[in-house]
Every structure is written in structure tokens, then in C-alpha cells.
Amino acid sequence: MDELTAALKAHFGYEAFLPGQREVIAPVLAGRDAFALMPTGGGKSLIYQLAALMRPGLTVVVSPLIALMQDQVDRLQANGIAATFVNSALSGDERTRRERAALEGRVKLLYLAPERLLTGSIIGLLERIQASAGLALLAVDEAHCISEWGHDFRPEYRQIGELRERFAQVPLLALTATATTRVRGDIVTQLHLRDPFIHVASFDRPNLRYDVRPKDKHTYGALRSYIRAHPDQSIIVYCHSRKTVDDVAASLADDGIRALPYHAGMEADQRAANQRRFIQDDVPVLVATIAFGMGIAKPDVRAVIHYDLPRNLEGYYQESGRAGRDGQPADCILYFSFGDKAKIEYLINEKTDEQEQQVARRQLAQVIGYTQGQGCRRRALLAYFGEEYPQPDCGNCDNCLHPAAREDRTTEAQKLLSCIGRTGERFGLRHLVAILRGVQTQKIRDLRHDQLTVYGVGKDLSEDEWLHIGRALIEQGIIHTAEGELPILMLTPAAWQIIRGQARAVLPARPAQLPARGEPATAPGAATLDDASAGLFQYLRDLRKRLADEQGVPPYVIFADAALRAMALQRPQTREQFAAVPGVGQRKLESFYTTFTDAIRAYCTQHDLPLELAPDSAPRRPERDRTATHLLTWDLFEQGKSLDEIAAARGLRPTTLRTHLIQAIREGRHVDRDRLLPPQRYAAIAAVIRRLGFETMAPVKEALGDGYDFDEIFFVKTFMLHDIQMELQTDA
Ligand code: ADP
Ligand code: ZN
């Protein structure tokens, strides 16, 4: 074990670095400036925390939110690391006491709010520290706050550049989870970074499962069942308005679910109390507007549910990204309805600034594109951030897990389209559906629409089914909607072709008809526990909660769920076994060894369970689980089974199996290409890739035409890249 890994285990109890952590720590330790752009949950804080511990002197961390400072300091102290913060909320005496501790070298990390930085007293203090204990590092968290182009500009952040000049020899490390190219440039110039090492991580969050569900009259019930199916798990439900927040929270409470509201219209005290109760695991569910979330680092949120449509994808990525910071599986569910879309459109039309309107319309169109897409959600989200997802199928979003079946609905489409034509292309979907279903409404009688030949020809389908068909035709561009107060449906040339029987309407099946699309198969975050271990896990959670309340800290400061799950599975008794649990560093070993091993022994004795099990059944981060599954596929394929046979045996789709094989190829494993693709096909695809380049495969697909699909193209690309790599290796 090298020095860095040893320090990681000793201080934080982790066995291995997350992607990018080591890459950034190394140059910082060498005294170089650095800039890390990593997604939420990527483990940014650990970078400067570990660097702080390994460099002599004090590390100053600039962080914009007081709540975050407190949280980080709690967690560091629980690991036995000397950290403190100074901000305006402290009394003068307390501030002096903490500053003196820093001056005397008794503190390794000092958190400061940006508005305090350039006060004479802080500068004086830092100068004195530099002359005595020394300054190790200046870390700037949430560095995007420095840019006016970012979404939460903090003018005080501008002062950091000046501070940097005063302490020119101290390396500066900037970190953020949100930065467009423009903001990135701003950060580098405004912070006066010098030849920084820049790390840009993938924004993919593989442990998050993206899921879009239709929103209709059953949605509240679905939400309630979801929450009931995941008892005691932290869940955030985001709603558009304060009123919806209050309504949903009240309904859940009436239904016996412990849920609290959070929005900017509440009394500050009440709001803070609700937030605290959520963070301390007193209540599992928080129903909130997007006012909630900034500066919340609760790592074990198991689901973020958007009850209403978000306004833009950036926001959706950030909000949903608050799930699963701990790397364990988590759900991101978005409920979509065309009614919500209309509501947002209405608000957009209210805006007076035309440019703002345009931006908002474009953003809304992107959100709609995301929700209505039939392809991989992850791929779509990453594409929004300019990142190409390297595989055709992520295996962890609703579309990849349950691709919508398609069905020929030509007859129904003809009925609806004729109805639009016969009523003069002047009505909205609901009225048209009422005509088809032969409903008696005042409007129908007034307009004499009950005299039409299409009146009542669609009695055989429910209203929901007709709405689904109508919407699918709109999405496919077969029906055109005119902008107006009420959306009016009009026919396109494609619609006329269907009416005349010259084209067919093949539409996605209704999601509700797909049985697999309901609840996820396993409760996220509890996937790896058998019944016996699950009982022990719950027992340990209760113990953790008691200890947390005694110490006045959130439970995750004591141990993460992952640590408790490992304890429940391995049931450690010796010090060595306990030290091997992920998240148990030196300090936690001292503080909790006796309490937890005693509790485990007591529970196991009482329930007649074996102790001291081998750690190989320990839960792993989901990336590694995926490794296991792709190797299983690879193994079967190498044994001579065909993809179809493996698909049947494993209950997986061939596309998923292909991603498994691609991963295996990438890892340098042998895969017989002739069994995957006939050599002529391979040669044809390879020729086009050679001509058009490896960057994006869409033009390649276009050049090849309909006879080829993306899966095959990706295979060839992967094989070709693999060959190039092998060549390079043998050359070197
Ligand atoms: P970010 O600031 O990038 O959003 P955090 O610093 O909050 O991410 O880290 C996310 C979670 O991952 C935290 O619960 C943290 O304890 C955990 N974590 C950080 N580094 C590691 C590691 N090397 N191994 C396992 N877990 C880690
Ligand atoms: Zn996917």
C-alpha cells in the first residue's frame, strides 16, 4: 500500500480513491495549483482534506455556506481531524479562541466564509500563521460562485483572487460541480490560477437510476406506494409551488407517512427545523421547492422525486444529483404531464423580457425532449453537458431497462386524425377525444359535434388510452400543435398519409401497460442484504441514531449506510475485522469498536446468527457490481453461447449484453468478433469510421443507412480503438 492510500484508510477508512481524487491530490501535494471539476458525490472535499493532512501547515477552505461548513467540520472531527470554522454566527470570544488555535498550529483545516476573507483581522491572522505554523493550501469550494455567468454568483468570491496574490507561494485548489466552459475560464482567470493542473471528471453518476413516469390522476398514489415500499429511506420530493409542497406534505402525513414541507414561504425557524429533522433522520421524507438543497450534503438520500416538471435540464441534473452522493444505488424519478408543460408555457408567456422568454422556451424544449425521448436518459443528460456517453445503453435508466414496446396503432390514429380534419383543425385533444368516445358534453351539443360520423367511433378505448395516442402522434410530429391559449391540433402532410392509408402509425406502447415499469425490483440501498442481515442493519441504524442524537450530529457523521451494511454482512468481532469495514479509520476504530462489536454480538446471539463472516460478501460500489455482471456475460459468450441464448438465460436485453461485451473488449479481454458480426459487415462499418472519424457515431450511422444499427457500429468502433491501442503498446 502506498503512502497516500495508507493515509486514506487511516484518516477516512476508505480502501481506494474515487476516480480523479488521487490525480488531483498528487499535483497539489507537489505545490501546484489545481482545478477539479467533478460531479456532486464525486468526493471533492476529500481531495483538499487529505492534502491538508499531508502537507505541513494550515489549510484554509473558502466555502459559501455556513451550513456546509458545520457539516464538514462535524464529519472531520468525527474522524479525529482538527478542523474548525470561523464565521459571523460565532461570538467574539469563540472566534478569538478558534483563531488562536489556528495560530498555534492546533488546527489543520480552517473553514472561512468568503465575506470574512478580506477583513483586516483575517489577513493579519493568515500572515501570522504563514510566519509560524505555515500555510499549506488555499482551497476554494463551489468555485463557480466567482463567475457572474454561473447560477449562484457571490460577489465576495472576487476577493479570493486578491488573497491569492498576497499569499502567492501557497498552492490554490479550486473545486466545483457546475461549470460551463465560460465559467471554467472565469474561475481560472479570476482566481489567478497559475499553470493549474485541471481535472474534468465525467458527469456520469452511474449509481443513479433515471426514470420518467407519466403523471396523471394516479400519481399521488404512486408516490405514496413508492415511499411505503422504501421505509426509513431518505427521500426528497420536489414540487413546483409552495402550495403543492404544502398539499403533498399534508396528504402524505394524513396517510401516515412521516413527511415534512420545506419552502421559502415558511417561517425561517420552522423551515430550519424541518431541514434539521430530515438531515438527522427523524423524518425520512422532505417535500420541498427547489429552495431546498443548496448546501445540503446528506450523502444517503435514496431518491429524488420530481412531482412537477423541472424548468431546465441543468436544474434537473443538480436537483436529482442530490440523491446517492454516497455512491450507493439511488432513484431519480420525474413525473411528466402535458398539463405541467402547459403551466410552464403559461408562465413563460407572462414574462415581459423577450430574450428571457426565448431562453426559457429553449430550456423547456430540452426538458420535454428528455422526458419524451425513447433512448437512454443518461446519454441524453450527459449530451446536454457536452459529454458523449460511450455506450449505447446504460442499463440503469427506465428506457434501457424497459424499452417501450412499439405497436401499430394505424386504425386508431386514422380515427383521431379524421376527427381533427372534420372539426376544422380548431380544437384541443380532450375535446377531440370526447367526440371519439361519444361523450355528451355541453360543448359537443352546442357545436353539434355529436352529428359527426366520427362521433362515438372510439368507444372501445379509455380516455387515457386516447390521450396517449394523441400525445404520441404529437411527439412524432404527425400532429402539429398551434401555439395559443389552448393548444389546437392540426394535421401535417404525414397525418394525411396516414388518413389515406399510405403510411402506418407505429407508436410506443403506454408505459402503464408495461408491468416492469412500476416499482424498482429492489429497494435501492438495501440490495445486497439478506433478511437476517437486514434486521441487523436496522438494529445498527437505530444504534447509530441514538449515538448521533447524543452527540448532536447527523447520523451519517457517525457512519455511512455502506459501513453499517458491511457490518451487518461481515459481523466483525476483532479489531482487525472492524478496522477493515469501509469508513472505519483510526479514530472511528477507537471511538466505536466496542459499542458496535458489542451490539453486533448481542443481536447475533439473540437471533442465532453466525458471527465473523468473510468480507467477500461485502457490498460494493455499484460500478464494481456492474463489472461482475459484464464478466458473467462475457464468460457465457466465450463458452460459445449466442447473445440470444444469454439474453434468455439472464433475463437481459441483447443491447445490455452488448454493452457488457464492449466493456470486456475495453478491458482487453478476448471477444470473438466473427461471432458478433459477419466479416463483410465489419469491414463496411470500419471503412466508414476510418473515413469519418471516431468522434461521434451519428454521421457514421447516417452514411451507412438503415441496414446498420448503432450497436454494431459501437462494436466496430470499440474493436478498432482496441486494435490501435494494442499497436501503440507494442510500438512503445
Ligand atoms: P462532493 O463534495 O464531490 O459532492 P463529497 O465530498 O460529499 O462529494 O463525497 C461524497 C461521498 O463520498 C461522501 O459520503 C464521502 O464520504 C464519500 N467518499 C469520498 N471519498 C471516498 C472514497 N475514496 N471512497 C469511498 N467513499 C468516499
Ligand atoms: Zn440508459
mmCIF file of all heavy atoms in Angstrom, residues 450-477:
data_model
loop_
_atom_site.group_PDB
_atom_site.id
_atom_site.type_symbol
_atom_site.label_atom_id
_atom_site.label_comp_id
_atom_site.label_asym_id
_atom_site.label_seq_id
_atom_site.Cartn_x
_atom_site.Cartn_y
_atom_site.Cartn_z
ATOM 1 N N ASP A 450 -71.952 15.952 -32.101
ATOM 2 C CA ASP A 450 -72.499 14.592 -31.995
ATOM 3 C C ASP A 450 -73.150 14.151 -33.307
ATOM 4 O O ASP A 450 -73.619 13.026 -33.426
ATOM 5 C CB ASP A 450 -73.476 14.486 -30.818
ATOM 6 C CG ASP A 450 -74.455 15.647 -30.785
ATOM 7 O OD1 ASP A 450 -74.392 16.505 -31.706
ATOM 8 O OD2 ASP A 450 -75.274 15.716 -29.850
ATOM 9 N N GLN A 451 -73.168 15.048 -34.279
ATOM 10 C CA GLN A 451 -73.706 14.685 -35.588
ATOM 11 C C GLN A 451 -72.624 14.161 -36.527
ATOM 12 O O GLN A 451 -72.918 13.696 -37.626
ATOM 13 C CB GLN A 451 -74.348 15.926 -36.258
ATOM 14 C CG GLN A 451 -75.373 16.637 -35.401
ATOM 15 C CD GLN A 451 -76.554 15.742 -35.116
ATOM 16 O OE1 GLN A 451 -77.117 15.132 -36.027
ATOM 17 N NE2 GLN A 451 -76.938 15.623 -33.847
ATOM 18 N N LEU A 452 -71.346 14.297 -36.112
ATOM 19 C CA LEU A 452 -70.246 13.885 -36.993
ATOM 20 C C LEU A 452 -70.197 12.367 -37.142
ATOM 21 O O LEU A 452 -70.578 11.637 -36.222
ATOM 22 C CB LEU A 452 -68.900 14.363 -36.412
ATOM 23 C CG LEU A 452 -68.693 15.875 -36.307
ATOM 24 C CD1 LEU A 452 -67.432 16.169 -35.500
ATOM 25 C CD2 LEU A 452 -68.585 16.486 -37.700
ATOM 26 N N THR A 453 -69.674 11.894 -38.286
ATOM 27 C CA THR A 453 -69.559 10.436 -38.478
ATOM 28 C C THR A 453 -68.548 9.827 -37.505
ATOM 29 O O THR A 453 -68.621 8.647 -37.204
ATOM 30 C CB THR A 453 -69.089 10.103 -39.916
ATOM 31 O OG1 THR A 453 -67.993 10.956 -40.218
ATOM 32 C CG2 THR A 453 -70.198 10.300 -40.914
ATOM 33 N N VAL A 454 -67.591 10.636 -37.053
ATOM 34 C CA VAL A 454 -66.591 10.081 -36.126
ATOM 35 C C VAL A 454 -67.101 10.055 -34.687
ATOM 36 O O VAL A 454 -66.431 9.521 -33.800
ATOM 37 C CB VAL A 454 -65.258 10.877 -36.168
ATOM 38 C CG1 VAL A 454 -64.492 10.585 -37.438
ATOM 39 C CG2 VAL A 454 -65.512 12.363 -36.009
ATOM 40 N N TYR A 455 -68.259 10.604 -34.417
ATOM 41 C CA TYR A 455 -68.766 10.656 -33.047
ATOM 42 C C TYR A 455 -68.985 9.230 -32.540
ATOM 43 O O TYR A 455 -69.729 8.446 -33.152
ATOM 44 C CB TYR A 455 -70.073 11.455 -32.994
ATOM 45 C CG TYR A 455 -70.623 11.613 -31.587
ATOM 46 C CD1 TYR A 455 -70.022 12.489 -30.682
ATOM 47 C CD2 TYR A 455 -71.720 10.860 -31.168
ATOM 48 C CE1 TYR A 455 -70.513 12.630 -29.395
ATOM 49 C CE2 TYR A 455 -72.218 10.995 -29.878
ATOM 50 C CZ TYR A 455 -71.614 11.881 -28.994
ATOM 51 O OH TYR A 455 -72.085 12.013 -27.717
ATOM 52 N N GLY A 456 -68.306 8.907 -31.461
ATOM 53 C CA GLY A 456 -68.503 7.592 -30.845
ATOM 54 C C GLY A 456 -67.779 6.438 -31.512
ATOM 55 O O GLY A 456 -67.951 5.291 -31.096
ATOM 56 N N VAL A 457 -66.927 6.701 -32.521
ATOM 57 C CA VAL A 457 -66.247 5.554 -33.148
ATOM 58 C C VAL A 457 -65.103 5.015 -32.295
ATOM 59 O O VAL A 457 -64.532 3.973 -32.612
ATOM 60 C CB VAL A 457 -65.690 5.885 -34.565
ATOM 61 C CG1 VAL A 457 -66.802 6.216 -35.539
ATOM 62 C CG2 VAL A 457 -64.656 7.007 -34.489
ATOM 63 N N GLY A 458 -64.785 5.710 -31.220
ATOM 64 C CA GLY A 458 -63.647 5.256 -30.402
ATOM 65 C C GLY A 458 -64.075 4.863 -29.009
ATOM 66 O O GLY A 458 -63.299 4.976 -28.050
ATOM 67 N N LYS A 459 -65.298 4.341 -28.874
ATOM 68 C CA LYS A 459 -65.808 3.967 -27.541
ATOM 69 C C LYS A 459 -64.988 2.858 -26.891
ATOM 70 O O LYS A 459 -64.989 2.705 -25.674
ATOM 71 C CB LYS A 459 -67.248 3.467 -27.680
ATOM 72 C CG LYS A 459 -68.258 4.566 -27.843
ATOM 73 C CD LYS A 459 -69.644 4.040 -27.442
ATOM 74 C CE LYS A 459 -70.670 5.136 -27.361
ATOM 75 N NZ LYS A 459 -71.443 5.300 -28.582
ATOM 76 N N ASP A 460 -64.324 2.056 -27.743
ATOM 77 C CA ASP A 460 -63.633 0.881 -27.213
ATOM 78 C C ASP A 460 -62.399 1.221 -26.381
ATOM 79 O O ASP A 460 -61.902 0.392 -25.625
ATOM 80 C CB ASP A 460 -63.238 -0.049 -28.372
ATOM 81 C CG ASP A 460 -62.504 0.706 -29.480
ATOM 82 O OD1 ASP A 460 -62.799 1.917 -29.676
ATOM 83 O OD2 ASP A 460 -61.634 0.109 -30.132
ATOM 84 N N LEU A 461 -61.890 2.432 -26.494
ATOM 85 C CA LEU A 461 -60.695 2.776 -25.722
ATOM 86 C C LEU A 461 -61.026 3.767 -24.612
ATOM 87 O O LEU A 461 -61.947 4.574 -24.746
ATOM 88 C CB LEU A 461 -59.623 3.407 -26.631
ATOM 89 C CG LEU A 461 -59.004 2.529 -27.714
ATOM 90 C CD1 LEU A 461 -57.834 3.253 -28.372
ATOM 91 C CD2 LEU A 461 -58.525 1.201 -27.139
ATOM 92 N N SER A 462 -60.231 3.716 -23.539
ATOM 93 C CA SER A 462 -60.451 4.648 -22.434
ATOM 94 C C SER A 462 -59.923 6.020 -22.826
ATOM 95 O O SER A 462 -59.147 6.165 -23.781
ATOM 96 C CB SER A 462 -59.710 4.163 -21.187
ATOM 97 O OG SER A 462 -58.321 4.328 -21.376
ATOM 98 N N GLU A 463 -60.317 7.011 -22.046
ATOM 99 C CA GLU A 463 -59.842 8.363 -22.318
ATOM 100 C C GLU A 463 -58.312 8.415 -22.255
ATOM 101 O O GLU A 463 -57.657 8.998 -23.116
ATOM 102 C CB GLU A 463 -60.441 9.335 -21.293
ATOM 103 C CG GLU A 463 -60.000 10.757 -21.564
ATOM 104 C CD GLU A 463 -60.544 11.754 -20.550
ATOM 105 O OE1 GLU A 463 -60.935 11.317 -19.450
ATOM 106 O OE2 GLU A 463 -60.559 12.953 -20.872
ATOM 107 N N ASP A 464 -57.738 7.774 -21.225
ATOM 108 C CA ASP A 464 -56.284 7.790 -21.079
ATOM 109 C C ASP A 464 -55.593 7.198 -22.302
ATOM 110 O O ASP A 464 -54.567 7.683 -22.755
ATOM 111 C CB ASP A 464 -55.857 7.006 -19.832
ATOM 112 C CG ASP A 464 -56.059 7.837 -18.576
ATOM 113 O OD1 ASP A 464 -56.329 9.049 -18.715
ATOM 114 O OD2 ASP A 464 -55.963 7.259 -17.471
ATOM 115 N N GLU A 465 -56.171 6.125 -22.814
ATOM 116 C CA GLU A 465 -55.538 5.500 -23.974
ATOM 117 C C GLU A 465 -55.570 6.439 -25.181
ATOM 118 O O GLU A 465 -54.590 6.563 -25.915
ATOM 119 C CB GLU A 465 -56.236 4.183 -24.301
ATOM 120 C CG GLU A 465 -55.727 3.065 -23.415
ATOM 121 C CD GLU A 465 -56.585 1.816 -23.492
ATOM 122 O OE1 GLU A 465 -57.814 1.913 -23.269
ATOM 123 O OE2 GLU A 465 -56.030 0.762 -23.787
ATOM 124 N N TRP A 466 -56.692 7.113 -25.370
ATOM 125 C CA TRP A 466 -56.771 8.064 -26.491
ATOM 126 C C TRP A 466 -55.791 9.227 -26.293
ATOM 127 O O TRP A 466 -55.144 9.661 -27.239
ATOM 128 C CB TRP A 466 -58.197 8.614 -26.636
ATOM 129 C CG TRP A 466 -59.083 7.694 -27.431
ATOM 130 C CD1 TRP A 466 -60.181 7.030 -26.999
ATOM 131 C CD2 TRP A 466 -58.921 7.346 -28.813
ATOM 132 N NE1 TRP A 466 -60.718 6.266 -28.009
ATOM 133 C CE2 TRP A 466 -59.954 6.444 -29.132
ATOM 134 C CE3 TRP A 466 -57.979 7.690 -29.798
ATOM 135 C CZ2 TRP A 466 -60.098 5.897 -30.405
ATOM 136 C CZ3 TRP A 466 -58.125 7.143 -31.068
ATOM 137 C CH2 TRP A 466 -59.174 6.252 -31.365
ATOM 138 N N LEU A 467 -55.708 9.712 -25.047
ATOM 139 C CA LEU A 467 -54.773 10.813 -24.795
ATOM 140 C C LEU A 467 -53.349 10.370 -25.125
ATOM 141 O O LEU A 467 -52.562 11.102 -25.709
ATOM 142 C CB LEU A 467 -54.861 11.281 -23.339
ATOM 143 C CG LEU A 467 -56.180 11.960 -22.955
ATOM 144 C CD1 LEU A 467 -56.210 12.263 -21.455
ATOM 145 C CD2 LEU A 467 -56.386 13.251 -23.747
ATOM 146 N N HIS A 468 -53.056 9.133 -24.738
ATOM 147 C CA HIS A 468 -51.714 8.623 -25.028
ATOM 148 C C HIS A 468 -51.451 8.594 -26.537
ATOM 149 O O HIS A 468 -50.383 9.015 -27.005
ATOM 150 C CB HIS A 468 -51.548 7.222 -24.443
ATOM 151 C CG HIS A 468 -50.328 6.524 -24.938
ATOM 152 N ND1 HIS A 468 -49.063 6.868 -24.524
ATOM 153 C CD2 HIS A 468 -50.166 5.539 -25.870
ATOM 154 C CE1 HIS A 468 -48.173 6.116 -25.157
ATOM 155 N NE2 HIS A 468 -48.815 5.306 -25.977
ATOM 156 N N ILE A 469 -52.429 8.108 -27.289
ATOM 157 C CA ILE A 469 -52.240 8.042 -28.744
ATOM 158 C C ILE A 469 -52.055 9.446 -29.317
ATOM 159 O O ILE A 469 -51.159 9.706 -30.125
ATOM 160 C CB ILE A 469 -53.442 7.323 -29.400
ATOM 161 C CG1 ILE A 469 -53.425 5.854 -28.967
ATOM 162 C CG2 ILE A 469 -53.403 7.459 -30.921
ATOM 163 C CD1 ILE A 469 -54.665 5.081 -29.364
ATOM 164 N N GLY A 470 -52.884 10.367 -28.866
ATOM 165 C CA GLY A 470 -52.780 11.742 -29.350
ATOM 166 C C GLY A 470 -51.409 12.325 -29.071
ATOM 167 O O GLY A 470 -50.768 12.910 -29.949
ATOM 168 N N ARG A 471 -50.949 12.129 -27.845
ATOM 169 C CA ARG A 471 -49.647 12.701 -27.478
ATOM 170 C C ARG A 471 -48.514 12.063 -28.252
ATOM 171 O O ARG A 471 -47.560 12.727 -28.663
ATOM 172 C CB ARG A 471 -49.418 12.541 -25.985
ATOM 173 C CG ARG A 471 -50.244 13.533 -25.225
ATOM 174 C CD ARG A 471 -50.383 13.163 -23.788
ATOM 175 N NE ARG A 471 -51.330 14.066 -23.156
ATOM 176 C CZ ARG A 471 -51.922 13.820 -22.007
ATOM 177 N NH1 ARG A 471 -51.655 12.690 -21.370
ATOM 178 N NH2 ARG A 471 -52.765 14.686 -21.509
ATOM 179 N N ALA A 472 -48.627 10.759 -28.448
ATOM 180 C CA ALA A 472 -47.569 10.079 -29.207
ATOM 181 C C ALA A 472 -47.527 10.622 -30.635
ATOM 182 O O ALA A 472 -46.454 10.811 -31.212
ATOM 183 C CB ALA A 472 -47.821 8.574 -29.207
ATOM 184 N N LEU A 473 -48.708 10.904 -31.208
ATOM 185 C CA LEU A 473 -48.735 11.461 -32.566
ATOM 186 C C LEU A 473 -48.146 12.871 -32.576
ATOM 187 O O LEU A 473 -47.485 13.274 -33.530
ATOM 188 C CB LEU A 473 -50.172 11.473 -33.106
ATOM 189 C CG LEU A 473 -50.749 10.081 -33.432
ATOM 190 C CD1 LEU A 473 -52.258 10.146 -33.615
ATOM 191 C CD2 LEU A 473 -50.083 9.513 -34.685
ATOM 192 N N ILE A 474 -48.370 13.612 -31.496
ATOM 193 C CA ILE A 474 -47.782 14.954 -31.412
ATOM 194 C C ILE A 474 -46.259 14.846 -31.336
ATOM 195 O O ILE A 474 -45.532 15.519 -32.054
ATOM 196 C CB ILE A 474 -48.320 15.707 -30.169
ATOM 197 C CG1 ILE A 474 -49.814 15.965 -30.313
ATOM 198 C CG2 ILE A 474 -47.566 17.025 -29.978
ATOM 199 C CD1 ILE A 474 -50.484 16.529 -29.069
ATOM 200 N N GLU A 475 -45.787 13.952 -30.444
ATOM 201 C CA GLU A 475 -44.335 13.808 -30.297
ATOM 202 C C GLU A 475 -43.665 13.417 -31.595
ATOM 203 O O GLU A 475 -42.555 13.820 -31.884
ATOM 204 C CB GLU A 475 -44.016 12.689 -29.301
ATOM 205 C CG GLU A 475 -44.077 13.114 -27.882
ATOM 206 C CD GLU A 475 -44.478 11.926 -27.033
ATOM 207 O OE1 GLU A 475 -44.047 10.799 -27.351
ATOM 208 O OE2 GLU A 475 -45.235 12.131 -26.070
ATOM 209 N N GLN A 476 -44.345 12.579 -32.359
ATOM 210 C CA GLN A 476 -43.722 12.127 -33.599
ATOM 211 C C GLN A 476 -43.865 13.160 -34.700
ATOM 212 O O GLN A 476 -43.461 12.931 -35.841
ATOM 213 C CB GLN A 476 -44.337 10.804 -34.031
ATOM 214 C CG GLN A 476 -44.052 9.719 -33.016
ATOM 215 C CD GLN A 476 -44.151 8.323 -33.600
ATOM 216 O OE1 GLN A 476 -44.588 8.134 -34.728
ATOM 217 N NE2 GLN A 476 -43.742 7.340 -32.827
ATOM 218 N N GLY A 477 -44.490 14.278 -34.383
ATOM 219 C CA GLY A 477 -44.608 15.342 -35.379
ATOM 220 C C GLY A 477 -45.680 15.065 -36.416
ATOM 221 O O GLY A 477 -45.731 15.716 -37.458
#
